[in-house]
Amino acid sequence: MQFTIRFTLFFIIFASALTARSQYVLDTLDSERGPMVIYSNYTWEYLEDMHFDGIMNSYLYDILAADSTLNFTHDWDTEVCYPSNLQNSYSDLKDTIWLCTVDSMYSEFVMPFDGRVTSRYGWRRGRPHHGIDIGLRTGDTVRAAFSGRVRYAKYNESGFGNLVIIRHYNGLETFYAHLSKHMVVPNQLVNAGDPIGLGGNTGRSYGAHLHFEVRFFDIPINPERIIDFDKKELVDENLFVHSGLFKGSPSYSSSSASSASTSGATYHKVRSGDTLGHIAAKYRTTVSRLCSLNGIRQTTILQIGQTLRVR
């Protein structure tokens, strides 16, 4: 009987996986969280994650879905930074939506890092800055601000460096950028205060710091509208989402994906045949300096089209 059930479960998983993946299922294993699917390329995922639709707050999604004029999208995508392609507009919000940033089940808020704010949200040297920068030392522990599920955890080529994005039960997403190391993986459930990475200086960044963002369906919100960074606590447990909440938000542009870019910096787009040595010689710098600026190693394989900071 147990073999029959296991074989049936295996067949269902196998058939489902073949429609979406080139690799095939080797086996399933039981775990405390439920069945794990093991693929032929030695990757794995939980069965419950295979069909997760990204909805962490059904109340919020029902409200947005009921308004046919909004057309907000926010798919669950562990490979891209902005699953909406930044097409959602706060100007389309005609009504006010009430959110509870913490509730009886997920009642805790934890500062992502208890450090000094070094740069605030808004325009900075003529460039949009969509978050808050918090000073830290490379290797300091960065923690999840709220409970939720990790949507993205990898190196981001657009300037964030090592980036973790968490989608929360309150309907928001938080970004943690320039990390030296990831400590979580996509689809992982985390509680407020769980370590999610180590602080660093990867991507387009001057000096070790945490770049922290809060977004509503990919639209940035000034984190200080939600968190009092001096008192290290929430401004209010209630958040009223309306178009006015986003007033003063820096507009999107192709250059705004790097939230911590600084004037005076120089960048090079990798072309066919480029090596770190050639690039360093061209800009009269050193390979070690290039590695330090971009959070890479001398053995890192460069990708055509990749952007490297050279000064």
Side-chain angles (χ1 to χ4, degrees):
M1 180 66 177
Q2 184 177 2
F3 173 81
T4 302
I5 295 174
R6 185 178 178 83
F7 178 82
T8 302
L9 176 62
F10 178 87
F11 179 79
I12 293 172
I13 296 171
F14 180 82
S16 175
L18 281 180
T19 63
R21 297 171 173 82
S22 58
Q23 67 268 21
Y24 58 89
V25 176
L26 286 177
D27 197 3
T28 61
L29 299 175
D30 292 328
S31 72
E32 292 182 358
R33 189 177 154 189
M36 293 172 54
V37 184
I38 313 298
Y39 296 106
S40 58
N41 63 352
Y42 303 107
T43 61
W44 59 271
E45 67 180 326
Y46 291 107
L47 178 61
E48 67 177 82
D49 294 333
M50 292 178 63
H51 305 293
F52 178 60
D53 58 8
I55 297 179
M56 305 289 290
N57 187 320
S58 57
Y59 158 80
L60 171 63
Y61 275 77
D62 288 345
I63 290 178
L64 295 176
D67 189 342
S68 60
T69 65
L70 281 177
N71 295 317
F72 270 23
T73 62
H74 205 218
D75 297 333
W76 185 260
D77 195 324
T78 61
E79 295 298 320
V80 302
C81 190
Y82 307 113
S84 73
N85 199 28
L86 300 179
Q87 297 302 305
N88 299 331
S89 173
Y90 66 80
S91 61
D92 294 334
L93 289 169
K94 307 304 180 185
D95 298 316
T96 298
I97 302 172
W98 169 77
L99 293 181
C100 190
T101 53
V102 293
D103 59 26
S104 58
M105 185 174 295
Y106 306 103
S107 59
E108 192 174 6
F109 160 75
V110 174
M111 285 292 295
F113 183 76
D114 187 1
R116 183 175 66 87
V117 172
T118 58
S119 185
R120 290 189 147 79
Y121 177 95
W123 290 97
R124 186 175 66 178
R125 303 181 185 93
R127 294 177 179 270
H129 188 234
H130 291 131
I132 288 280
D133 288 349
I134 304 174
L136 48 62
R137 294 175 297 181
T138 297
D140 283 342
T141 301
V142 175
R143 302 180 182 277
F146 303 98
S147 298
R149 186 188 289 256
V150 177
R151 181 173 66 78
Y152 182 105
K154 66 177 185 177
Y155 188 88
N156 177 270
E157 300 287 354
S158 297
F160 285 120
N162 287 324
L163 172 66
V164 169
I165 302 174
I166 303 175
R167 184 170 295 184
H168 302 290
Y169 297 101
N170 56 23
L172 303 173
E173 281 194 342
T174 51
F175 285 45
Y176 311 78
H178 307 312
L179 303 173
S180 62
K181 181 180 179 180
H182 298 106
M183 297 177 67
V184 290
V185 295
N187 291 310
Q188 180 176 336
L189 293 170
V190 295
N191 293 318
D194 282 353
I196 54 104
L198 302 181
N201 187 31
T202 58
R204 298 183 200 169
S205 165
Y206 273 131
H209 70 280
L210 170 67
H211 175 80
F212 174 75
E213 292 189 10
V214 178
R215 288 181 178 255
F216 176 83
F217 282 68
D218 284 343
I219 308 172
I221 300 174
N222 184 347
E224 292 188 278
R225 300 291 296 269
I226 299 171
I227 302 168
D228 186 321
F229 286 85
D230 293 325
K231 296 180 179 179
K232 319 296 182 185
E233 62 185 24
L234 294 176
V235 173
D236 195 322
E237 293 183 359
N238 300 298
L239 178 65
F240 296 96
V241 179
H242 51 84
S243 59
L245 178 66
F246 308 95
K247 295 298 184 183
S249 171
S251 61
Y252 293 115
S253 67
S254 59
S255 63
S256 66
S258 168
S259 305
S261 57
T262 307
S263 63
T266 302
Y267 299 93
H268 173 85
K269 182 169 286 189
V270 176
R271 300 175 178 84
S272 178
D274 276 348
T275 65
L276 286 174
H278 292 152
I279 296 171
K282 179 178 180 179
Y283 292 95
R284 298 182 180 180
T285 184
T286 64
V287 171
S288 60
R289 178 60 177 163
L290 291 178
C291 292
S292 176
L293 285 173
N294 295 277
I296 59 177
R297 298 178 180 178
Q298 295 188 18
T299 56
T300 297
I301 299 175
L302 301 182
Q303 304 295 324
I304 295 176
Q306 178 181 352
T307 299
L308 291 179
R309 180 176 166 187
V310 294
R311 290 196 184 92

